[in-house]
Structure formats: structure tokens, C-alpha cells
Amino acid sequence: MKIFTSDDIRQIDRYTIKEEGVSSRELIKRVASGVVTEIISRWRPTRPITVFAGPGNNGADALEVARQLSQQGYHPEVLLFNIGGNALSRDCKAIRDELIVDNRVPLTEVIDNLILPELTSAHIIVDGLFGTGLREPLTGGFQALVRVINESRATVVSIDVPSGLFSDWNPLSINKNIIHADLTIAVQFPRLAFFMAENHELVGEYKVIDIGLSAHAIRSTRTKYHLIETNDIAHVLHPRNPFASKADFGNAMLIAGSFGMMGAAVVAAQGALRAGVGKLTVHAPRCGYPVLQTAVPEAMFAADNHETVLTECTPGDNFTAVAIGPGLGTHDYTLKAVETVIKTARHPIVVDADALNCIARRPALLNALPNLSILTPHAGEFDRLFGQHNNAEARLIKAVEMSRQYNVIIVLKGRYTATIRPDGKIYFNSSGTPALATPGSGDVLTGIILAMLAQGLRPEVAALTGVFVHGLAGEIACETMGEYGTTAGDVARATALAIKSIIS
């Protein structure tokens, strides 16, 4: 699914109105219908409802919501903000006039002084103050109003975006000055801001409603932002040729593990094998031999010269893909070995965990990474590599810069894991569950991406596919083990079921 900027969406709106003959008023009715459908499916007419409508088309949507709720047996009251008396958009003014004539919905028009109705935790608030057209942070009376709404503990439903939140980037936003929605009903597309961790308390749950914007305009409008869904991955994973052999599915090397951290190597290896790699060799310190041969007998073992830490490894050209990092530690010997692997690699490699921490100690190694290598940091590892960041948005912006600078793919792990390409494109992942917040989960992801790369997928496709499969495997494991009890081993085992569900 494409994710558009607010400017893109306005262009698609205009095209739909001009070229396809759909009036702005009809689009407002469709928005309201989607919002009302969602409200009546969740709450009974006995709940008190207050609709806050701003002067623009977001406010027009809110007024139409109030009208349609009234027709469904609900009893909304409306506060329409028309500061100065002449601020309403054409559609907002027209719907206001119709509501006044109809006289079924109590409507208070705020021109100067505001007297708020009583708001309690029993209320449902429909937030239609400001949508994607907002250009500056809220100040003055609107800022105070937002704080009153947030402090009321009422259930808040925001139309399109919570008022005060910019739909794209929010570098200067202060959360207490933005509506805290329980449900955000986005029109046609999710917004870029929804995928930033710091905005979760503002957006709450989000639902997307289809209002029939021009399919042609959507197809022809380019964007750098996408949400990866099952149908995207179904184009990549296919049933296998009945005459295939393991030689057709790649020969991968996983460089992982150290004394006390062989579990990371185990679950990464299990992830790779469950993701279909043809042949897997694990290079690890000698102490890992009994562990790997017992826990993952399907993998071959290449012993390091050292008993407890990685000291040397040169994979060679016979491997179709290499991953390095899970459970390695950052011993000086290991740092030197990581440097050797990076500098001798002739093809993109997967770099995770302690390999990233080794690079953080020697940042010049970033320049030596093969083009389109795949780095898979969580927030802490990313900050050790590229400096401290205050939030997910700042981290994402930096990742775009670093991906371009070093010509690498960065998989920035999180709720909507973002895969960033050197051309500036960002792909958010739709699969996943809080159950993946468990030790070793990222190591499983490394194994899955390694397997995809070994099987011949281009690095950017291998990264996207691995991330989605990993998230789906977490969901499947969670169905049995729950969010608290799912382990990395469960996720690795569920990887095969995730792939099966995609290709079946």
C-alpha cells in the first residue's frame, strides 16, 4: 500500500473532484459515512456524544458525522469553531446552515468566547477540529481546548488525524498540545505519522476507510513511502519446483555465537533453515560445537580457532550469502574478525547485533561494507552507530541519510519495522505483534533474511520479505503461546508456517 504525504492526498482529492466528477460534498458524505459506521459498530446510542468541528473541511466532515449520527438514533451535540465569524470553508458553512434549518442537532457556534459543555469519561468526543491542512502547532485557545479534552478522559474519535498532529513529520510537536485519540479514522490511506512510536499515544488504534478516491490518481502518484502487506510478499514467495534440490536454494554462512551466547546462533540458524535455505554453515567458537550440533543438527559447523570468541573468518566465494553478528560479543579479537569479514566480502552481507556494535567501535568500517549490505539495528544499536536520537522520527530521518551515504539497506526494527533503501524509499512492515519483544527475536530475523538472500532474492527484496515473514511468524506463535510466553524459538519454528500461509 502506498503511503502519501498530505500534499499528495490533496492532489488526489482534486483530481477525483475535477476529472471524475465527484463533488467535494459527496466526498464529505463518504467520510462521514465511514466514521459513523465505525462509531455505531462500537458504541450504543445511550453514550453522550460531543462533536468538535473546526472551520475547514475537517470540520465539515465532523458536521456531517453529527447529522448522520442523528439519523441513526444518536444524540450528538456540536461545537463549531468559527473564530471571528467568517472563518468557515464553503462546505463547512453550507452544512452548518443545513443543520440550523433542520434543527435536529444542537449546535453552538463559537465566534469569540467559549463555554465548554461538561465532558466526562462517559462521553464520546468526535474530533474534527483540524485535519491534514494544519500548518502550525496549535496555540492559544485551541491549545487549551485540546488539553481540556485530553484531561476529560472521554473516548476520543479523531477524523483523519488527531488535531494538532501533522500527518507527515512532527519534529517540533509537544504531545500534551495534541489530541490523544483512542481511535483515528484515516481517510483512504494511513498517514506517515502513524508509524512513529512516539505518536502511538496520540493516534491510538487507527482504521482506514475507503471513500473511493480516483484509482488512476492513486496509481500514477509516486511516493517514497509504502506499507508492506501480504499481497506484496505473495508476489515473491512461490511453491517450489518439484524437481528442485537443496543446491537450488543457496549456500549460506552464519557467523554467530560466543561463550555464554550460543543461543543467539541457535535461533538464527533455526530461522534460516525454517525459511528454506538449501545449506547452512555456522561459524562459531569451538565451545559452540556441541550446542549447535545438538540444537540444530541440520546445520554444519565450522569451528573458529578460538575456544570462546570469534577470532578469524573468511567465508570465501562458495557461499551465496553471509550474515554476521548474533551473540558474537565485542572482544578485540572479534572486532578484528568482523573487520576481515567486511573487507573481504564481495557481495552484500547481513550485519546484525554485535557486528553492528563492533562497527560502532570502528565507524570507518561503514565505508568498507559491500554495496547494498543489510544492516538490522534496533534503536539502541542504531544510536550507537549513528549518534543519540530523541525519538523514532529523528532516527528514521537519520537512517535515510545514512542509507544513502553508505549505499546500504537499513532495517530499523520496531513495531512497524522500517526498511530504508539508498534511494530514500521507506517500507513499513504491517505484520508483527508485541510477542516479538523477546530475547533472540532479532536473531531469528537475521536468519530469515540470510535465507532469503541465499535463495537469490535481491538484497532489498530479501530484507522486506524477511521482515514480513518474521512478523507473521510472531503472530502465529503468539496465537498459541500468547504475548507474554512466546520465545524466539517459537518464532523460528513458526517461520515455516508463516511462509506456508503466504504461498498457499
Side-chain angles (χ1 to χ4, degrees):
M1 177 192 294
K2 290 180 175 180
I3 302 170
F4 293 109
T5 66
S6 56
D7 288 340
D8 291 335
I9 294 171
R10 276 190 284 276
Q11 291 288 345
I12 294 169
D13 276 343
R14 283 194 282 267
Y15 183 93
T16 303
I17 293 168
K18 182 179 179 181
E19 302 297 332
E20 299 193 359
V22 180
S23 68
S24 60
R25 185 64 180 274
E26 173 60 26
L27 292 179
I28 288 169
K29 288 181 179 179
R30 293 177 187 179
V31 171
S33 177
V35 174
V36 168
T37 297
E38 200 63 42
I39 289 174
I40 65 178
S41 72
R42 295 171 182 246
W43 298 290
R44 296 179 178 178
T46 52
R47 293 284 294 271
I49 299 179
T50 300
V51 176
F52 289 88
N57 281 350
N58 195 243
D61 294 336
L63 294 179
E64 184 62 30
V65 166
R67 183 213 302 275
Q68 293 187 22
L69 282 173
S70 177
Q71 292 169 348
Q72 295 293 327
Y74 288 73
H75 305 284
E77 60 176 338
V78 175
L79 271 74
L80 171 62
F81 290 83
N82 183 17
I83 306 302
N86 193 32
L88 302 186
S89 69
R90 183 189 62 186
D91 285 322
C92 191
K93 182 177 183 299
I95 301 173
R96 177 206 62 180
D97 293 345
E98 292 168 8
L99 287 176
I100 291 173
V101 171
D102 188 57
N103 199 32
R104 295 183 187 181
V105 177
L107 186 150
T108 301
E109 189 167 348
V110 180
I111 295 176
D112 41 38
N113 295 324
L114 168 63
I115 300 176
L116 277 175
E118 181 182 357
L119 299 175
T120 70
S121 59
H123 272 75
I124 296 169
I125 290 175
V126 176
D127 162 34
L129 288 170
F130 299 98
T132 58
L134 190 69
R135 297 298 184 186
E136 299 290 339
L138 298 182
T139 58
F142 283 116
Q143 185 183 101
L145 173 61
V146 163
R147 293 185 183 182
V148 169
I149 291 173
N150 289 340
E151 291 166 4
S152 72
R153 300 188 180 276
T155 300
V156 179
V157 179
S158 287
I159 302 174
D160 218 11
V161 294
S163 291
L165 181 71
F166 300 117
S167 61
D168 303 330
W169 303 103
N170 289 268
L172 303 176
S173 293
I174 300 173
N175 281 12
K176 66 181 179 180
N177 297 332
I178 300 170
I179 288 284
H180 287 51
D182 298 280
L183 172 65
T184 298
I185 302 177
V187 178
Q188 199 73 47
F189 317 99
R191 302 303 192 253
L192 183 61
F194 294 1
F195 302 101
M196 309 300 164
E198 57 271 14
N199 295 334
H200 174 66
E201 67 173 313
L202 308 174
V203 176
E205 175 191 358
Y206 82 81
K207 298 276 288 188
V208 177
I209 55 173
D210 186 347
I211 64 166
L213 293 181
S214 168
H216 172 76
I218 292 170
R219 284 194 305 271
S220 60
T221 302
R222 295 184 177 182
T223 178
K224 291 185 176 181
Y225 314 113
H226 298 79
L227 180 65
I228 296 299
E229 299 176 297
T230 304
N231 61 319
D232 300 305
I233 303 305
H235 293 303
V236 176
L237 299 175
H238 308 286
R240 288 181 164 180
N241 187 323
F243 291 92
S245 75
K246 66 181 181 182
D248 296 313
F249 305 119
N251 181 14
M253 171 169 275
L254 172 65
I255 306 167
S258 59
F259 182 79
M261 293 193 289
M262 288 309 303
V266 168
V267 294
Q270 290 172 337
L273 290 163
R274 294 293 185 184
V277 69
K279 183 178 177 182
L280 178 66
T281 300
V282 179
H283 182 110
R286 291 182 179 180
C287 65
Y289 176 78
V291 177
L292 261 297
Q293 292 298 90
T294 302
V296 197
E298 301 89 347
M300 293 181 291
F301 188 86
D304 194 90
N305 287 331
H306 201 280
E307 184 68 22
T308 60
V309 299
L310 177 73
T311 62
E312 50 79 31
C313 183
T314 307
D317 292 335
N318 58 320
F319 293 102
T320 53
V322 174
I324 183 169
L328 283 182
T330 57
H331 192 283
D332 287 345
Y333 291 157
T334 302
L335 196 158
K336 182 63 178 176
V338 169
E339 180 178 7
T340 299
V341 170
I342 290 173
K343 288 184 174 180
T344 59
R346 298 183 180 180
H347 304 287
I349 61 175
V350 184
V351 187
D352 182 35
D354 280 329
L356 295 171
N357 293 330
C358 285
I359 295 174
R361 291 179 56 190
R362 195 166 293 176
L365 288 177
L366 286 165
N367 293 301
L369 285 166
N371 289 337
L372 298 183
S373 288
I374 303 168
L375 280 59
T376 62
H378 56 57
E381 291 162 345
F382 184 89
D383 285 359
R384 281 191 284 276
L385 276 171
F386 302 119
Q388 195 66 33
H389 296 82
N390 293 328
N391 55 42
E393 179 179 300
R395 207 167 279 117
L396 185 62
I397 292 170
K398 185 69 171 183
V400 171
E401 178 189 346
M402 294 297 96
S403 175
R404 181 181 295 111
Q405 178 175 335
Y406 295 108
N407 200 26
V408 295
I409 296 161
I410 297 178
V411 175
L412 192 51
K413 293 183 286 195
R415 166 60 186 94
Y416 297 103
T417 293
T419 300
I420 299 103
R421 301 189 339 185
D423 61 3
K425 290 187 176 180
I426 301 174
Y427 296 84
F428 295 99
N429 185 52
S430 66
S431 65
T433 163
L436 289 169
T438 187
S441 175
D443 303 320
V444 177
L445 174 60
T446 296
I448 297 172
I449 295 176
L450 171 65
M452 297 300 169
L453 194 60
Q455 291 172 80
L457 297 184
R458 299 192 312 274
E460 65 273 21
V461 179
L464 291 174
T465 304
V467 167
F468 185 87
V469 168
H470 177 257
L472 183 56
E475 293 177 19
I476 293 170
C478 184
E479 289 175 4
T480 301
M481 306 308 297
E483 290 183 354
Y484 281 65
T486 298
T487 65
D490 298 325
V491 178
R493 285 185 287 275
T495 298
L497 296 175
I499 294 174
K500 180 181 178 182
S501 72
I502 293 170
I503 64 176
S504 61

